[in-house]
Amino acid sequence: MTSTSQQQELRNKIWKIANEVRGSVDGWDFKQFVLGTLFYRFISENFTNYIEGGDESIDYSKLSDDVITPEIKDDAIKTKGYFIYPSQLFVNVAKTANTNPNLNTDLKAIFDAIESSANGYPSEQDIKGLFADFDTTSTRLGNTVEGKNSRLAAVLKGVEELNFGNFEESQIDLFGDAYEYLINNYAANAGKSGGEFFTPQHVSKLIAQLAMHKQEKVNKIYDPAAGSGSLLLQAKKHFDNHIIEDGFYGQEVNHTTYNLARMNMFLHNINYDKFNIALGNTLTDPHFGDEKPFDAIVSNPPYSINWIGDGDPTLINDDRFAPAGVLAPKSKADFAFVLHALSYLSSKGRAAIVCFPGIFYRSGAEQKIRKYLVDNNFVETIISLAPNLFYGTPIAVTILVLSKHKTENKTQFIDASGEDFFKKVTNNNVLTDKHIETIMELFDNKEDVEYVAKTIDNSKIAQNDYNLSVSSYIEAKDKREQVDIKKLNAEISVTVEKINSLRSDIDKIIKEIEA
């Protein structure tokens, strides 16, 4: 990994490219072209590195496509999941990008060929449609072929100029960092339309640590609302690779974001056989039922979205929802995601889920679901965070930590919403590593801290109508200035004496004047 200054320089350059090339095109709409180009370069260099195998006498990019035998291709696809011929490599396409009149159609043919190379292999579903959003014929690139080619060439040449250093030493980390940095910036600048697909890295780090806490190893990690995959990847960053034994699983309903997540896995050097990201609606068409249970679950599901709920009479008999005896409201699917995660959780694992605060105190079906969770002792900790941590919403969200291996019938509440738990950066608040460390210490020791943390008997929560709002159990610190009444009265007495003395002197002066 390069130094912080080199990393920042790379970030500045890639964001400059992204802004200068897009022109008048909306940033969130244009992101596919920049992210897709970065991905194209990464898999080209990753594949080249694999083929060359460290042999400096081989330069794969200069070989003829004709020398590739079926056996070489077959072996490569089984290992890497895809195949790229020398002529299709990023370096060769970028070299002639400015003068190639067929650039947009050539790129489309290359992307189609890379995807189809996996057909019939175990990696087919992981590779299929990866470049679907990199539409080289899109009018967003221009209204003419020349216009499209010009903008595509500018993106290719810009990404070509980025210095990622030696592949084996640093490229994997730098590519992944650059990719996440771009998604982060696009989300921050897109407002709600983009931010809803992305969990900021600092929040992801806290959630990953909560889910993985004190687990020396987990069988696999799962996100039922995977987004761009940032939560899953934080788990990889925070722990050595071998601790997550069987890989990364996620499901995402948005097709574009689903593609971003799969690209993100490759860019962090997670091979196709170590991740499985599925496309579809988690609540009504759940995947990975045969893969459960999971030792670690992380998730930031969409807040209070509509779902079919009791409009589908079969859902109340679904194994995920039946134990609670009630479905989440049609207009608020939050607890449907919670119950889904709980049903996929192993007996030794944890789930850390970002939730909309209202679900912890509203009545009706949500109260009944809270009763089920508390009575069965599934709620380990509830943490309220500071407002304005997410892009596109100022909401002060809450993290729900679920566990099936608690030994005490108690629930911990942590108020991490105060100014001691965030740092203001431009328009958003941020959790620093120190803030995360403090929250994790509170979570770990389960000790009461005035105004910050408290552990409550579940029987008392039941008496409080199963209200799980943090503010119901942790008293807010009175930040008003404390006044010493005795000292204040003494000061007032002295002032009154001075006033009386002054009045007496004034009266004497007036009498002398009148005389």
Side-chain angles (χ1 to χ4, degrees):
M1 191 70 183
T2 62
S3 68
T4 302
S5 60
Q6 288 174 308
Q7 180 189 54
Q8 191 57 51
E9 181 182 359
L10 178 63
R11 288 178 168 186
N12 292 339
K13 284 182 179 178
I14 199 167
W15 188 241
K16 185 179 180 183
I17 293 167
N19 273 326
E20 287 184 352
V21 175
R22 72 180 175 88
S24 60
V25 184
D26 179 80
W28 185 251
D29 290 337
F30 192 65
K31 71 183 183 306
Q32 277 80 253
F33 302 108
V34 180
L35 292 169
T37 302
L38 189 67
F39 176 69
Y40 174 37
R41 176 176 166 179
F42 172 81
I43 63 168
S44 291
E45 294 183 16
N46 185 291
F47 189 81
T48 296
N49 189 59
Y50 162 75
I51 291 290
E52 293 176 352
D55 188 341
E56 295 183 2
S57 67
I58 301 175
D59 186 342
Y60 185 63
S61 67
K62 293 181 179 178
L63 295 180
S64 167
D65 291 357
D66 297 335
V67 304
I68 306 301
T69 66
E71 290 76 21
I72 292 175
K73 184 176 181 181
D74 180 68
D75 184 64
I77 298 172
K78 287 176 179 175
T79 303
K80 299 300 294 180
Y82 58 90
F83 192 86
I84 305 177
Y85 282 99
S87 66
Q88 298 170 337
L89 293 170
F90 172 89
V91 64
N92 287 327
V93 175
K95 191 184 301 180
T96 60
N98 287 328
T99 56
N100 182 358
N102 303 311
L103 181 62
N104 71 322
T105 52
D106 284 353
L107 280 173
K108 184 181 186 311
I110 289 171
F111 297 157
D112 288 347
I114 294 172
E115 289 184 16
S116 63
S117 70
N119 289 351
Y121 288 84
S123 60
E124 181 174 353
Q125 288 306 310
D126 298 306
I127 306 297
K128 187 177 182 179
L130 268 178
F131 291 98
D133 295 301
F134 196 153
D135 183 3
T136 60
T137 63
S138 172
T139 54
R140 289 173 182 161
L141 291 168
N143 294 320
T144 64
V145 172
E146 291 78 10
K148 293 179 177 66
N149 286 343
S150 175
R151 188 159 276 165
L152 284 169
V155 177
L156 286 165
K157 300 304 284 188
V159 171
E160 179 189 39
E161 291 170 8
L162 294 173
N163 180 19
F164 287 102
N166 182 276
F167 188 94
E168 291 181 332
E169 292 177 7
S170 64
Q171 191 152 350
I172 293 165
D173 285 339
L174 282 175
F175 265 111
D177 177 79
Y179 190 81
E180 286 190 47
Y181 171 74
L182 276 172
I183 296 178
N184 182 83
N185 271 27
Y186 278 127
N189 286 274
K192 188 176 180 181
S193 65
E196 63 184 328
F197 299 121
F198 186 76
T199 307
Q201 288 187 32
H202 53 100
V203 182
S204 298
K205 186 180 293 187
L206 172 60
I207 295 167
Q209 291 190 32
L210 288 166
M212 303 278 284
H213 184 61
K214 285 189 173 177
Q215 297 198 70
E216 293 183 0
K217 61 181 180 179
V218 299
N219 61 350
K220 46 199 136 180
I221 188 165
Y222 168 61
D223 185 345
S228 61
S230 60
L231 278 168
L232 292 171
L233 289 166
Q234 275 300 329
K236 178 182 184 292
K237 286 182 178 181
H238 189 67
F239 298 91
D240 293 331
N241 293 342
H242 71 271
I243 289 182
I244 301 172
E245 296 177 326
D246 299 321
F248 304 78
Y249 293 77
Q251 184 164 347
E252 172 57 38
V253 68
N254 180 283
H255 195 279
T256 295
T257 318
Y258 157 71
N259 285 335
L260 290 182
R262 291 189 296 157
M263 286 184 181
N264 216 354
M265 293 293 136
F266 280 110
L267 281 158
H268 284 82
N269 209 37
I270 300 175
N271 208 36
Y272 77 91
D273 57 345
K274 284 296 182 183
F275 76 83
N276 196 333
I277 308 294
L279 177 65
N281 187 315
T282 297
L283 300 182
T284 57
D285 182 26
H287 289 242
F288 311 123
D290 293 337
E291 295 288 346
K292 66 180 184 181
F294 295 86
D295 289 342
I297 296 177
V298 291
S299 192
N300 176 21
Y303 309 144
S304 300
I305 60 167
N306 295 326
W307 78 305
I308 192 168
D310 59 15
D312 180 352
T314 66
L315 283 176
I316 194 59
N317 297 317
D318 190 300
D319 290 344
R320 299 169 295 163
F321 311 125
V326 64
L327 296 171
K330 282 184 177 181
S331 60
K332 302 174 184 69
D334 308 73
F335 266 126
F337 283 102
V338 170
L339 291 174
H340 170 89
L342 181 66
S343 73
Y344 274 49
L345 186 64
S346 75
S347 59
K348 80 178 189 73
R350 280 193 180 91
I353 307 167
V354 180
C355 297
F356 182 80
I359 72 170
F360 294 105
Y361 57 79
R362 290 190 296 234
S363 59
E366 291 179 314
Q367 182 187 38
K368 292 177 182 177
I369 295 173
R370 292 196 304 271
K371 180 180 186 304
Y372 163 72
L373 295 174
V374 173
D375 287 350
N376 286 277
N377 204 28
F378 291 137
V379 182
E380 180 172 2
T381 302
I382 296 173
I383 307 168
S384 63
L385 297 180
N388 215 30
L389 290 173
F390 290 79
Y391 305 118
T393 177
I395 295 171
V397 300
T398 300
I399 297 179
L400 170 64
V401 183
L402 299 174
S403 169
K404 292 181 177 178
H405 59 269
K406 288 171 62 185
T407 56
E408 293 185 304
N409 285 306
K410 295 180 179 181
T411 300
Q412 182 191 37
F413 295 87
I414 298 175
D415 185 352
S417 63
E419 57 189 25
D420 292 337
F421 289 94
F422 69 87
K423 175 184 178 183
K424 186 166 181 59
V425 178
T426 59
N427 296 324
N428 280 83
N429 294 327
V430 172
L431 297 173
T432 65
D433 286 346
K434 183 62 180 176
H435 296 139
I436 293 171
E437 182 182 331
T438 301
I439 294 171
M440 290 307 300
E441 286 175 359
L442 292 166
F443 175 72
D444 179 47
N445 61 42
K446 298 292 190 290
E447 293 177 0
D448 289 357
V449 178
E450 190 175 24
Y451 308 124
V452 176
K454 195 166 186 178
T455 299
I456 305 292
D457 285 328
N458 288 345
S459 59
K460 291 185 178 179
I461 296 174
Q463 292 170 14
N464 195 24
D465 296 326
Y466 295 95
N467 187 324
L468 290 176
S469 177
V470 172
S471 61
S472 296
Y473 302 98
I474 298 180
E475 179 186 2
K477 187 174 184 179
D478 188 349
K479 296 182 180 179
R480 294 176 296 180
E481 183 180 356
Q482 298 297 311
V483 179
D484 186 331
I485 299 299
K486 288 184 178 180
K487 182 180 179 182
L488 180 61
N489 286 336
E491 291 174 349
I492 291 173
S493 296
V494 172
T495 302
V496 169
E497 286 179 13
K498 288 181 179 179
I499 292 173
N500 289 337
S501 176
L502 183 59
R503 281 177 176 171
S504 178
D505 291 343
I506 292 172
D507 288 343
K508 287 179 182 179
I509 293 171
I510 290 174
K511 284 181 181 181
E512 289 176 0
I513 293 173
E514 290 177 343

